[in-house]
């Protein structure tokens, strides 16, 4: 696994509305209707993360949830981060819009 170049990251970000890179982490904050919706999304992401063996930093504040992704083993953003970000994005779009 390798760290993606800035160019590759920018290209991949074009398909992830609202996602950005901040302080070397791929991140996005979602605002949902309730705390229970936030927890449901967190649980779906945690299940997927466990299967991928790729665990994001998650911050929960009532009806907001922030995901911060990095591949710790290479200390950078990799394809694995974008795979998880796509899962999060698609899950949110399918279940919470």
């Amino acid at each position: 696994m390798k760290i993606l170049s800035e160019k590759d990251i920018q290209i991949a970000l074009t398909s992830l509305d609202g996602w950005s890179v901040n302080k070397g982490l791929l991140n996005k904050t979602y605002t949902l209707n309730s705390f229970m919706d936030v927890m449901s999304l967190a649980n779906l992401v945690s299940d997927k993360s466990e299967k991928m063996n790729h665990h994001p930093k998650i911050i929960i504040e009532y009806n907001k949830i922030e995901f911060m992704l990095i591949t710790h083993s290479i200390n950078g953003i990799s394809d694995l981060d974008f795979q998880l970000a796509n899962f999060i994005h698609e899950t949110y779009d399918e279940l919470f819009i």
Side-chain angles (χ1 to χ4, degrees):
M1 190 168 328
K2 67 179 182 118
I3 295 174
L4 295 175
S5 70
E6 274 300 312
K7 181 181 177 183
D8 290 337
I9 289 170
Q10 292 308 313
I11 290 169
L13 281 171
T14 62
S15 66
L16 288 171
D17 186 41
W19 284 80
S20 62
V21 175
N22 186 13
K23 297 181 182 178
L25 302 169
L26 182 60
N27 69 39
K28 179 164 180 175
T29 300
Y30 291 92
T31 301
L32 288 90
N33 291 326
S34 68
F35 179 73
M36 292 307 293
D37 283 349
V38 165
M39 293 308 298
S40 293
L41 180 57
N43 285 327
L44 290 167
V45 172
S46 67
D47 287 344
K48 178 67 170 181
S49 298
E50 193 64 19
K51 289 175 184 163
M52 293 175 70
N53 193 30
H54 189 61
H55 305 94
K57 180 176 183 180
I58 301 172
I59 297 176
I60 294 171
E61 184 180 346
Y62 181 58
N63 69 332
K64 293 181 182 176
I65 184 167
E66 181 178 5
F67 297 98
M68 290 161 275
L69 311 178
I70 189 170
T71 303
H72 298 285
S73 61
I74 60 171
N75 197 33
I77 296 172
S78 73
D79 286 328
L80 204 53
D81 298 300
F82 278 98
Q83 289 173 28
L84 184 55
N86 276 307
F87 172 82
I88 295 167
H89 195 71
E90 290 169 3
T91 301
Y92 172 80
D93 283 353
E94 183 178 326
L95 298 177
F96 298 102
I97 289 187

